[in-house]
Amino acid sequence: MLLLLLILCHFISCLWYAISYNADGDKRWLVRYGMEGLKWNYLYATCLHWSLTQFTPAPIDIQPQNMSERVFTISVVVSALVGFSYVVGSITGSLAQLRSLKEEESNSSGICGCT
């Protein structure tokens, strides 16, 4: 699951950069935070950090600066909320099923007198 999250965050970070890079004018996060023209590895790390913060409660100072960036951010946050809820629900369901199987195993061995 961690690998899937990192792959998803990679694509989200690439889209986050592309939206700002291709936007017209100076109302873009790349310009607002003085990152236009920096080395690609720092920009990629910043974008990856931003995308990871959309899935976790970790902070980052970079915020959307125009409507395109804001709509993208909202869609990522909503998708992250749904995805995170699904994962938590799946884990909870698996644990409940495991607990139920353990109880059945415990009850069946106690009824027949077997150890």
Side-chain angles (χ1 to χ4, degrees), residues 71-87:
V71 167
F72 181 70
T73 301
I74 290 168
S75 65
V76 169
V77 168
V78 169
S79 300
L81 176 67
V82 170
F84 182 73
S85 298
Y86 173 77
V87 169

Side-chain angles (χ1 to χ4, degrees), residues 59-99:
I60 191 167
D61 294 336
I62 295 173
Q63 300 296 322
Q65 299 298 309
N66 59 42
M67 186 57 90
S68 304
E69 293 173 358
R70 189 150 315 269
V71 167
F72 181 70
T73 301
I74 290 168
S75 65
V76 169
V77 168
V78 169
S79 300
L81 176 67
V82 170
F84 182 73
S85 298
Y86 173 77
V87 169
V88 169
S90 176
I91 290 170
T92 303
S94 296
L95 289 174
Q97 186 179 14
L98 189 62
R99 188 175 298 124

Side-chain angles (χ1 to χ4, degrees), residues 15-81:
L15 286 170
W16 175 244
Y17 176 79
I19 289 169
S20 184
Y21 182 79
N22 291 318
D24 295 329
D26 288 341
K27 265 195 117 156
R28 307 178 286 142
W29 71 264
L30 280 170
V31 174
R32 167 74 169 87
Y33 298 103
M35 295 193 177
E36 198 169 43
L38 294 179
K39 292 188 178 213
W40 73 268
N41 55 351
Y42 184 78
L43 288 171
Y44 177 74
T46 301
C47 291
L48 186 62
H49 181 194
W50 178 88
S51 67
L52 286 167
T53 63
Q54 305 312 303
F55 289 86
T56 64
I60 191 167
D61 294 336
I62 295 173
Q63 300 296 322
Q65 299 298 309
N66 59 42
M67 186 57 90
S68 304
E69 293 173 358
R70 189 150 315 269
V71 167
F72 181 70
T73 301
I74 290 168
S75 65
V76 169
V77 168
V78 169
S79 300
L81 176 67

